[in-house]
Every structure is written in C-alpha cells, then in structure tokens.
Amino acid sequence: MQGNGRAGQEKLIDLHGLHVTEAIHVLKRDLAMLRSVARSADQHLQVYICVGTGHHTRGTRTPARLPVAVQRYLLEEEGLDYSEPQPGLLRVRLY
C-alpha cells in the first residue's frame, strides 16, 4: 500500500499480479487498516485499487478474473461503491 496525494488522504492498494485469493486477503487487510485510520482521524480517504486489465492472464480468450473478483468483494462484502477512473484502476471512498 502506498500513500500519495494531498497530505496522505489518497492511498493506493496494488493488487496487480496477485492471484485472486491473495488479492482478496491483502485487500481485506488493507481496507480494514485504512478504515481505522480514517475513523481515528475523522476524515475521508480516497483509495485507489490497482487490479490490472488482464493482459497477463493465460490464454487469450480467458477473461481477467481479478477485476471481477475485487469488484464483487467491494460491493458484496465491504458494501462499498466504486468507480473506475481508468481501466484496471478502481476508486473507493472510506469514512
């Protein structure tokens, strides 16, 4: 996880290149930590999640599994809406 932007109010979680199970584990851990930081500082955090676009997925006809799995996790498990400012990059806002 990396900080960037305005006084550390933007963070990056880079899941690119991880397998789905590894990525979900990292995402769950990092989101919990960042939620805690945001609440203790009583501020919003914008978090970018790099999932890639599947260019390295084996087989040319195999769709990328990571972006779909992360999107599903964000919505169903974390209850977070996300946007996709560019392909392979998701953005969520934590309170």
Side-chain angles (χ1 to χ4, degrees):
M1 182 174 38
Q2 300 171 352
N4 59 345
R6 302 177 303 271
Q9 293 183 8
E10 293 182 350
K11 300 292 182 188
L12 173 68
I13 300 173
D14 189 358
L15 305 176
H16 181 245
L18 297 179
H19 294 283
V20 169
T21 52
E22 297 168 321
I24 297 301
H25 176 76
V26 168
L27 182 61
K28 185 176 187 176
R29 180 198 66 205
D30 287 359
L31 286 177
M33 185 191 62
L34 290 170
R35 261 201 185 106
S36 177
V37 168
R39 287 180 182 152
S40 67
D42 196 27
Q43 65 178 341
H44 300 285
L45 278 179
Q46 189 161 254
V47 180
Y48 291 92
I49 304 164
C50 180
V51 293
T53 56
H55 290 260
H56 302 288
T57 301
R58 291 181 193 210
T60 57
R61 296 179 189 210
T62 305
R65 293 179 296 272
L66 184 59
V68 173
V70 169
Q71 291 165 355
R72 184 176 298 130
Y73 176 81
L74 291 172
L75 290 173
E76 295 176 6
E77 302 296 324
E78 295 285 342
L80 291 170
D81 289 324
Y82 63 87
S83 62
E84 192 170 3
Q86 65 187 53
L89 186 68
L90 305 176
R91 178 176 50 213
V92 297
R93 193 162 169 88
L94 300 179
Y95 305 104

